[in-house]
Amino acid sequence: MDQDESRPSGPTLNSGLASWSKPLRVHLSVVIVGLLICISAPLMWMAYEQGRATALASGESQMRQLGLRVVENYKSVFGDGYSAVATASVLPQMLSPPSQDFDAKSEYLLKVLQSGNYIDGIYSGYPDGSFIQAVNVAANPAWSKALSAPKGTAFAIRTLTKEPPGAGTVWHFLGANGVEIAKREDRDETYDPRTRPWYQAAIETKGQVSVGPYVTATTKSLSLTLAVPLSKNPEIVAGVDVLLQTVSRLLNKEAISENARGYVFDGRGRLIVHSDASVMANILDTLSHSGTDGASVSDDMDPAIAPIRALLRDRGGAAGGIVPFTVGGKPFIAQVSPVEFSGLLKGNAVVIAAPLDDLVGPTDRLLAKNLLTAVAFVAAGIVAAIVLAQLISKSLFALADEARRIGDLKFEDRRLPHSWIAEINVLARALGAARNTIATFSLYVPRELVRRIVSSGQTAIGSADRQEVTVLFTDIKDFTTISEKHSPEDLVELLSDYFELLNETVERHSGTIVQYLGDSIFGMWNAPTRDERHVENACRCALAMKEAIDTLNAASRRSGRPELITRFGLHTGPAVVGSVGAKNRRQYTAMGDTVNVGSRLEGMNKEFGTSILVSEAVQSKVSGLFEFRALGNARAKGRAEEIEVFELVTDCCGWDAKS
């Protein structure tokens, strides 16, 4: 074989190399597809797992917060009762048996029932067998039926005396105002407080005790009793009954999901409260037949009861925390919260339990849906990336950087690079507009005012300008005196209604509330939006506000709330209007003599005994539209020159400000 035959021929080598040569778009497609799959697949899985973990953590956090809230409510229910008996244990009038000091005793017991929404009854037992008791008939209708109480009975007070001539039981029936409406003597001497568990337990321990749960003899209600011996005579015991149905309603109200349930177990592992009303009825029926040592309800009522009881037993009692468990193979999660205060209710535990699916199920389904959506977008992105990767990458990176800067509240005006793709340019312009809008919003509070400023065309407020405005000032007469006579909560509620009314009226008449000044407001017309009829609108607004406040006061009189007599001052003239303040925190306002005069006019109502005072500048501009009463010249506080003052009386339609 010669040398030429031992070599591969040139055409054969070239054809082999050519078979491995592909266009650049093919290689780029393979690289992009491989990168997208390698990056997106683990990211989507991580997002799924992290989202599920976040949902579970969020659910656990909600259960912890709910557990704390329920425990506080639980303590509040029994805390009212404990405070009542603790106070009774040191009251001197409780030392004497009934019917001695009856008025003093009944007054205290009645006030306890009126202030304690969860207290069913409060009473005191004496070593001679005498007894005094006050019950809340309005809160527990079972009392009305058991006692055959007269119509209108809200409370009932029973006295059991052992010494003649008043031996026997006497019931006093009281209305909601505490006034006696009927009295009945039963001459029933069968009841003896000394035989009751609460009395015996308090005497035996010589201290405060909790007894129950048990079914009350008279009303057949599920109750728990707190009892305390009197400090100066330990043989006298004060007690209070709290209805456990009340706690059940609290648990049901705080449910975290449709399938969540609330439970209260006592120190012996007995279920004493359940958030479901039907289970509570079963507990009541069980205790009615088996007494205070009765077992629990049937597990058929709620299959989670037995696992939760076992959970508490395995954890050595009411150790708090989030605990997973299963019910019939289905995962559940429980928040266990121990409850104990002042040595009472020791061993009690509040448990909030819910199926795990209630917490993470919706998130799982949403994440799965998002995963499918993400896969679809990845597939579409693979196709789009092949064509557009190089065209959009530079612009997208610039837009992403700009979005991050906006998120960091950095609003420097930077020119974004031009793209050959029209949508990218539209997005760039939209992002630039968003940057300018957010920058403007960050300078002003409240935002509604900024929104109106921006909508009026003032996208960037750099300085204040001089312009004609009409200003309105209001003030509530004797507000300091009103504040002294009413609670802060009542005042906040009343002022909220009051300010809401004024705000609606000002906006309806094309004005703007610039500032709230305690119980006063500062309103302005012709700024920030132009208003050719600003003086007319301001006058009509003042009359409408007066009418609206009169209506509010009429409603307040009927509901027992204080009346708010409001004085108004109106002035028009030039003022410097715009934003003032620091670089990063500004306030939109108006300044100048016009503003000062408007404020002084409001205060001059005291001098003239009027409601709405306006200046001559206002009267001269709208004298043909409104009726004014001239009051002459007056000197405003802090002002050298006198001003001519008018009272705004009525408009052309005949509405009278004095009516």
Side-chain angles (χ1 to χ4, degrees), residues 1-2 26 72-73 129 133 144 245 265 321 347 413 440 443-444 446-447 597 658:
M1 184 181 295
D2 60 15
V26 175
E72 288 304 314
N73 288 339
Q133 177 186 25
S144 181
Q245 286 93 331
F265 291 85
D413 190 5
T440 303
L443 300 177
Y444 293 93
R447 291 189 177 184
V597 170
K658 291 182 177 180

Side-chain angles (χ1 to χ4, degrees), residues 466-497:
R466 183 183 179 89
Q467 67 180 81
E468 191 84 8
V469 296
T470 299
V471 297
L472 167 69
F473 283 87
T474 75
D475 185 55
I476 298 175
K477 178 182 178 182
D478 297 330
F479 185 73
T480 301
T481 303
I482 295 174
S483 300
E484 292 176 350
K485 295 180 178 180
H486 295 83
S487 67
E489 292 80 7
D490 292 340
L491 283 177
V492 168
E493 180 182 359
L494 182 58
L495 281 180
S496 296
D497 296 340

Side-chain angles (χ1 to χ4, degrees), residues 97-166:
S99 58
Q100 298 180 40
D101 298 320
F102 173 77
D103 290 340
K105 289 184 177 68
S106 61
E107 181 180 3
Y108 172 71
L109 299 180
L110 185 61
K111 287 194 177 297
V112 168
L113 296 182
Q114 290 174 331
S115 60
N117 296 328
Y118 307 119
I119 295 176
D120 183 51
I122 181 170
Y123 40 81
S124 181
Y126 296 83
D128 65 348
S130 57
F131 183 64
I132 185 169
Q133 177 186 25
V135 296
N136 196 334
V137 178
N140 185 4
W143 278 112
S144 181
K145 181 179 179 181
L147 300 177
S148 299
K151 185 178 180 181
T153 299
F155 307 99
I157 297 178
R158 173 171 65 163
T159 60
L160 173 60
T161 58
K162 295 296 183 179
E163 296 182 3

Side-chain angles (χ1 to χ4, degrees), residues 249-449:
R249 289 192 293 270
L250 287 175
L251 290 176
N252 187 52
K253 181 181 179 181
E254 298 285 359
I256 194 173
S257 69
E258 182 180 355
N259 298 310
R261 296 291 182 267
Y263 313 80
V264 178
F265 291 85
D266 67 7
R268 290 187 283 174
R270 296 178 305 168
L271 177 64
I272 61 175
V273 180
H274 194 286
S275 60
D276 189 281
S278 61
V279 179
M280 280 300 296
N282 193 274
I283 295 175
L284 179 62
D285 182 67
T286 301
L287 288 174
S288 298
H289 292 87
S290 57
T292 57
D293 293 326
S296 326
V297 299
S298 170
D299 291 346
D300 295 337
M301 298 290 295
D302 185 348
I305 295 175
I308 293 175
R309 185 183 295 108
L311 187 70
L312 294 176
R313 184 177 58 252
D314 295 342
R315 288 168 60 85
I322 295 288
V323 186
F325 67 101
T326 59
V327 178
K330 186 176 181 180
F332 272 63
I333 190 170
Q335 167 66 39
V336 181
S337 303
V339 183
E340 181 179 352
F341 67 94
S342 301
L344 298 172
L345 307 178
K346 187 172 183 178
N348 280 25
V350 174
V351 180
I352 307 297
L356 185 62
D357 187 63
D358 281 11
L359 303 180
V360 300
T363 303
D364 281 347
R365 292 186 285 272
L366 179 61
L367 289 173
K369 181 179 178 181
N370 290 344
L371 183 61
L372 293 176
T373 304
V375 170
F377 275 107
V378 168
I382 290 173
V383 178
I386 296 173
V387 181
L388 302 175
Q390 293 299 322
L391 293 176
I392 67 175
S393 60
K394 183 178 179 179
S395 298
L396 285 179
F397 281 127
L399 291 175
D401 182 66
E402 182 66 12
R404 284 192 295 269
R405 297 181 67 84
I406 293 175
D408 295 334
L409 299 182
K410 297 178 180 179
F411 303 118
E412 296 89 347
D413 190 5
R414 300 191 308 162
R415 183 177 180 83
L416 295 174
H418 180 76
S419 173
W420 291 102
I421 301 175
E423 288 79 1
I424 298 296
N425 292 328
V426 171
L427 181 59
R429 289 193 294 271
L431 196 60
R435 177 192 59 210
N436 295 335
T437 301
I438 296 173
T440 303
F441 266 75
S442 67
L443 300 177
Y444 293 93
V445 174
R447 291 189 177 184
E448 179 62 28
L449 178 59

